[in-house]
Amino acid sequence: MMNSIEEYIQTVTSQVHFIWDRTAIAEELRDHLTDSAEALMEEENLSAEEAQAEAVKRMGDGKTIGQQFNQIHHPVIGWIWLITLSLAFIAGIALVGLTVNYAWDIFSCSFPVHPKAAVKIRDLNESVDMAGHVVRFDAVWEEQEDQLILTYRIQNKLNYSRSGWSVTLFQIVDQDGNEGISPYFEGNSLLGSRGMIRIERPDSGKVKLTFIDGQQRILNVSEQEGQP
Amino acid sequence: MKRIKQIGISLGVLILTLFLIYWTSGFYFSPQACVEDSLRGLYFMPAEKIFDIRTENYVYYLYANDHQYALHSVRKTALFFYVAAGGSTHNDYPKSTEPFDLDFSADQVNEVFLVHRNRPDIAKVEWELAEDSRKVLLDQWKDDFAMIVLPRSGADSVFWQGTVRAYDAQGKLVDERVFP
C-alpha cells in the first residue's frame, strides 16, 4: 500500500505529458516532501503518517501542481530537446570518427612508405607543387636487378577541390624513350595518400615525369653514392 | 531555459557535423560551384562554360577549353547539389578530321545529346535513332557546340545505332554517318 507521499507524486507526475521528465520530477518531489515530513515530525511531534499527510497537504492540490509542472516541462520542447540531443550524440560520434580518420591520414602520410624486401638506393626528396596536390617523391628502392620502386606521398589541397576524383596525376617515361606508365591515383582519401610505383630500371638512370598540369621533372633513379 | 540552451548546443553540433560531411564530400549550395569544383579536381580548369541546361532535379553542364570538353550532370538533393555524373574527356576535339563529332550521356531521367561541328557551314544535325525512329535535332550553336537534353525514352535504345545527318543552312546534306 502506497504512502501518501507516493500517491501524491503519482497524481502530480500523471499530469506531465513528457514522460521522460517524470522520474526527475518524482525524485525532486520525493526529496522535498520527505524533508518536509521529517521537519514536521521533529517540530510538531507528529507520527510519520501524520507528518507525510501534512506535508502533502501543505504542498497543494496534486493535479494543479502537476499541470504547472507540465507547463514548465512542456512536451513539445521536451521532444525537441530529446530528438536534437539524440541526433547530436550520433553526430558527435561521427565527428569523433571523422577526426580520428583524418588524424590518422595526416599521421600515416607523415612517414614515407618502406617497401618490404627492397633496398633503398637513393633518397629523392623531390616535391612537385600542383594546384590541387603536392606530390613528394621520397626515395628509390631496388627490389630486383631490373626492378625499381619509387615511393611517394600525395597531399590533397582541400581549398582547391573536394570532388574526390581518381586521376592520373603524372606519367613516367624513362629517358631511354621506352613506353612509360601512368599510375592511377584513387581519390578515396580526403587528405592525402602514399604508395609506391614499380618501374623498370632505365639504362640512363633517369626517368621523366610529366604531370597532369603540364609540369615536368627529371628524376635521377640511379644508385646514390654512399647509400648502404 | 537550460533546455533551450541544450537544444541550441545540440543543433550547433548537428549543423557543424553536417557541414563538415557535406563540405568534405564536395556538396555545394550552387550547382555551378559544384561542377567547377569537380572540374578542378580533374585538372580541367581553366575552361569556359558553354551550356547549362536545367531540368527538374538536374543541371547539365558543358565546359570546354582549347583541347577538350567535359560533360557533367549535377543533381539536387534537399538544399545541396552534387555531381551525379561526369568526367573529363581528353578528346583533342580540335584535331578531329570528321565534319562533326558526337557525344552522349544518359541517367535515369534524361538523355544528353552533344555535337561539335568542325565545319562552320553545318547548320543543323539530325540524329535518327534506329530503335524507335526518334529524331533529335540540334541546331542551337555556341562555340560550335550544340547540346540538347531530352527525357529518357522508354525504348531500351542503344545510342550508337542510328543515322546522323548534318545539313547546311540551305538544307543540303553535308555529311551522313550510319552506326550499325
Side-chain angles (χ1 to χ4, degrees):
Chain A
M1 189 174 164
M2 266 195 297
N3 62 34
S4 50
I5 287 180
E6 292 304 321
E7 274 183 30
Y8 184 78
I9 287 170
Q10 195 156 350
T11 305
V12 169
T13 56
S14 66
Q15 301 300 311
V16 178
H17 295 148
F18 189 59
I19 58 171
W20 302 92
D21 281 344
R22 286 182 182 174
T23 307
I25 293 168
E27 277 178 24
E28 193 184 326
L29 268 177
R30 190 175 292 112
D31 287 344
H32 176 73
L33 288 168
T34 305
D35 290 344
S36 296
E38 283 173 4
L40 283 168
M41 280 170 69
E42 271 188 39
E43 290 162 12
E44 297 183 23
N45 208 27
L46 299 174
S47 68
E49 292 80 13
E50 287 169 343
Q52 285 172 11
E54 183 60 24
V56 161
K57 187 181 167 189
R58 291 186 185 189
M59 195 70 198
D61 175 52
K63 199 172 171 187
T64 307
I65 298 295
Q67 287 166 352
Q68 288 172 358
F69 268 116
N70 189 50
Q71 287 297 311
I72 297 166
H73 296 261
H74 200 282
V76 172
I77 303 288
W79 279 112
I80 292 172
W81 168 83
L82 185 65
I83 290 167
T84 53
L85 191 67
S86 305
L87 290 174
F89 180 72
I90 296 168
I93 293 174
L95 212 53
V96 168
L98 282 172
T99 306
V100 168
N101 191 30
Y102 296 153
W104 176 252
D105 270 354
I106 293 171
F107 176 76
S108 61
C109 287
S110 302
F111 303 99
V113 175
H114 195 304
K116 293 177 187 171
V119 174
K120 190 195 292 191
I121 62 170
R122 177 175 280 273
D123 283 312
L124 289 172
N125 296 319
E126 179 83 27
S127 268
V128 179
D129 197 357
M130 302 162 68
H133 302 83
V134 177
V135 182
R136 183 188 172 90
F137 297 96
D138 292 309
V140 184
W141 303 71
E142 183 181 78
E143 191 175 44
Q144 296 168 18
E145 194 177 319
D146 291 330
Q147 192 91 41
L148 299 178
I149 294 175
L150 199 59
T151 55
Y152 66 86
R153 282 175 286 168
I154 298 173
Q155 178 195 334
N156 302 337
K157 294 182 182 177
L158 295 182
N159 58 340
Y160 184 72
S161 172
R162 292 172 295 285
S163 58
W165 284 108
S166 302
V167 292
T168 298
L169 285 176
F170 55 85
Q171 293 177 316
I172 303 173
V173 180
D174 72 40
Q175 288 282 274
D176 307 325
N178 295 324
E179 193 175 325
I181 59 172
S182 302
Y184 192 62
F185 297 94
E186 297 288 341
N188 52 13
S189 174
L190 179 71
L191 298 175
S193 59
R194 59 179 192 159
M196 55 188 187
I197 304 164
R198 285 183 168 80
I199 58 173
E200 286 191 19
R201 185 195 296 270
D203 294 335
S204 61
K206 290 189 168 66
V207 292
K208 180 177 169 183
L209 279 72
T210 303
F211 289 82
I212 193 170
D213 63 353
Q215 292 188 66
Q216 293 183 337
R217 288 285 192 282
I218 307 287
L219 290 183
N220 185 346
V221 297
S222 60
E223 195 164 332
Q224 190 172 26
E225 282 181 21
Q227 197 71 37
Chain B
M1 225 31 194
K2 186 181 166 189
R3 198 155 269 186
I4 302 288
K5 211 173 172 180
Q6 286 176 344
I7 289 172
I9 292 169
S10 297
L11 286 173
V13 170
L14 260 173
I15 289 167
L16 174 68
T17 307
L18 284 173
F19 171 76
L20 274 175
I21 290 172
Y22 281 139
W23 187 78
T24 56
S25 302
F27 280 42
Y28 285 84
F29 286 115
S30 146
Q32 186 158 332
C34 183
V35 77
E36 289 185 357
D37 178 281
S38 176
L39 292 172
R40 284 193 301 272
L42 290 165
Y43 281 89
F44 190 81
M45 296 297 261
E48 188 192 336
K49 185 177 75 172
I50 309 296
F51 286 112
D52 68 88
I53 298 175
R54 292 171 185 250
T55 63
E56 194 179 334
N57 284 314
Y58 287 83
V59 186
Y60 298 90
Y61 286 92
L62 175 70
Y63 276 72
N65 53 33
D66 58 4
H67 59 284
Q68 56 184 335
Y69 64 79
L71 257 179
H72 269 64
S73 67
V74 172
R75 188 169 180 180
K76 188 175 179 183
T77 176
L79 296 172
F80 301 97
F81 292 89
Y82 65 94
V83 170
S88 178
T89 310
H90 299 274
N91 48 14
D92 288 321
Y93 69 89
K95 295 181 184 172
S96 172
T97 56
E98 300 287 344
F100 60 87
D101 294 298
L102 306 171
D103 208 334
F104 175 81
S105 171
D107 52 44
Q108 293 168 338
V109 181
N110 297 307
E111 294 172 329
V112 182
F113 298 85
L114 175 71
V115 172
H116 180 262
R117 64 182 176 189
N118 300 310
R119 283 177 54 166
D121 59 335
I122 292 176
K124 70 177 182 184
V125 172
E126 186 183 80
W127 209 324
E128 186 178 353
L129 295 150
E131 184 153 344
D132 57 2
S133 300
R134 195 161 45 120
K135 283 187 184 173
V136 179
L137 184 65
L138 292 103
D139 58 1
Q140 304 297 310
W141 303 94
K142 186 177 175 190
D143 293 347
D144 293 323
F145 284 99
M147 183 166 121
I148 193 167
V149 177
L150 296 172
R152 185 147 184 175
S153 73
D156 187 22
S157 63
V158 178
F159 161 66
W160 293 111
Q161 289 185 349
T163 305
V164 185
R165 300 180 185 89
Y167 300 91
D168 64 14
Q170 285 72 46
K172 186 179 152 199
L173 184 68
V174 171
D175 190 36
E176 180 181 78
R177 267 188 253 167
V178 179
F179 300 93

